[in-house]
Amino acid sequence: MYDRVEAPPASRTDFVLESIKEAILNGKLKPGQALVETDLAAALNVSKTPVREALKTLAGSGLVVMSPYKGAAVRTVDAAMANSVYDVRMLMEPEALRRSVLLGASFDDAALALEDVSDLARRSLANRRFHRALYAGCGNPLMIQILDGLRDQAALITVAGWGICPTWDDEAAEHRAILAAAVAGRGDLAFELLRRHIQTFADRVVEELPDGVR
């Protein structure tokens, strides 16, 4: 599941954190799967301490749930979670993109993310980078911070959504249209295309997810 790389002591917790996060976001660690400290430590060739710290951080970002009786597990995506995340994204992300366009921001990183999709297991990570590149130049640090705070949970929902209905090809075409509008300086069009892109995915996924208000 992981490459057994010996991490330098100073960066061991970061190494463990990124390794577990990537395994969750590329679907190797499934929603609801137990995260056993001893197993993770052995797989990553580290002690349990950095694993424990990494799991606490991941719980704070919404990717992991901690239970005093059951321990840690990958968060299970439900409709209530998806609704909450996508409500905020719908309100903020298209506007952040429009502002990025108006400010003349570069979208080179978004273009690079579109190219990095040959590995199926890494598509979620490429999708995550693409969306961040759209709003990163909006000029509002608080808006960026809020959207950054949703990135991990949004990526987890994306992985769940592709498991329900694999629509990557359609979404990739939508990404190209959004990027083309942004690069052309058409902020209002980019706003609308991104809004529609987020709404379409949310509608499809939330309808199929359990345990939430639809």
Side-chain angles (χ1 to χ4, degrees):
M1 181 179 295
Y2 309 100
D3 294 329
R4 292 176 65 88
V5 178
E6 182 66 35
S11 62
R12 196 159 289 160
T13 299
D14 288 342
F15 161 74
V16 172
L17 175 63
E18 292 305 317
S19 297
I20 298 174
K21 178 188 287 188
E22 181 168 343
I24 292 172
L25 296 183
N26 65 25
K28 290 182 180 179
L29 291 172
K30 307 297 184 183
Q33 182 171 340
L35 300 171
V36 181
E37 290 181 8
T38 52
D39 293 346
L40 293 170
L44 295 169
N45 198 27
V46 297
S47 69
K48 291 199 299 182
T49 300
V51 172
R52 188 175 301 116
E53 294 303 314
L55 292 178
K56 289 178 182 177
T57 300
L58 291 168
S61 68
L63 289 182
V64 168
V65 292
M66 308 284 284
S67 167
Y69 303 107
K70 296 182 180 180
V74 180
R75 182 171 184 175
T76 300
V77 176
D78 60 28
M81 171 196 175
N83 270 324
S84 296
V85 171
Y86 276 81
D87 275 351
V88 178
R89 287 189 67 197
M90 282 289 296
L91 288 170
M92 296 186 65
E93 195 170 323
E95 176 60 20
L97 171 58
R98 188 183 71 83
R99 294 185 185 192
S100 294
V101 173
L102 291 176
L103 290 172
S106 169
F107 296 100
D108 291 346
D109 287 346
L112 289 173
L114 286 185
E115 297 173 3
D116 188 22
V117 295
S118 57
D119 182 351
L120 295 178
R122 298 185 64 84
R123 280 182 173 173
S124 174
L125 300 173
N127 181 70
R128 189 169 178 262
R129 292 196 302 272
F130 174 79
H131 277 273
R132 189 184 194 280
L134 296 180
Y135 65 74
C138 71
N140 185 323
L142 182 58
M143 186 177 283
I144 295 170
Q145 181 182 358
I146 292 170
L147 289 170
D148 278 353
L150 295 175
R151 290 177 73 208
D152 289 347
Q153 293 182 64
L156 190 62
I157 296 167
T158 298
V159 171
W162 289 341
I164 294 168
C165 184
T167 55
W168 171 258
D169 290 338
D170 290 340
E171 291 170 44
E174 293 168 8
H175 283 175
R176 289 191 292 270
I178 293 164
L179 179 60
V183 171
R186 302 181 66 184
D188 289 341
L189 177 60
F191 174 103
E192 179 56 30
L193 290 174
L194 180 56
R195 187 202 63 78
R196 193 182 308 161
H197 170 71
I198 295 172
Q199 184 68 66
T200 299
F201 186 84
D203 287 346
R204 182 175 64 249
V205 172
V206 171
E207 183 177 350
E208 300 295 333
L209 290 173
D211 302 327
V213 178
R214 299 180 179 175

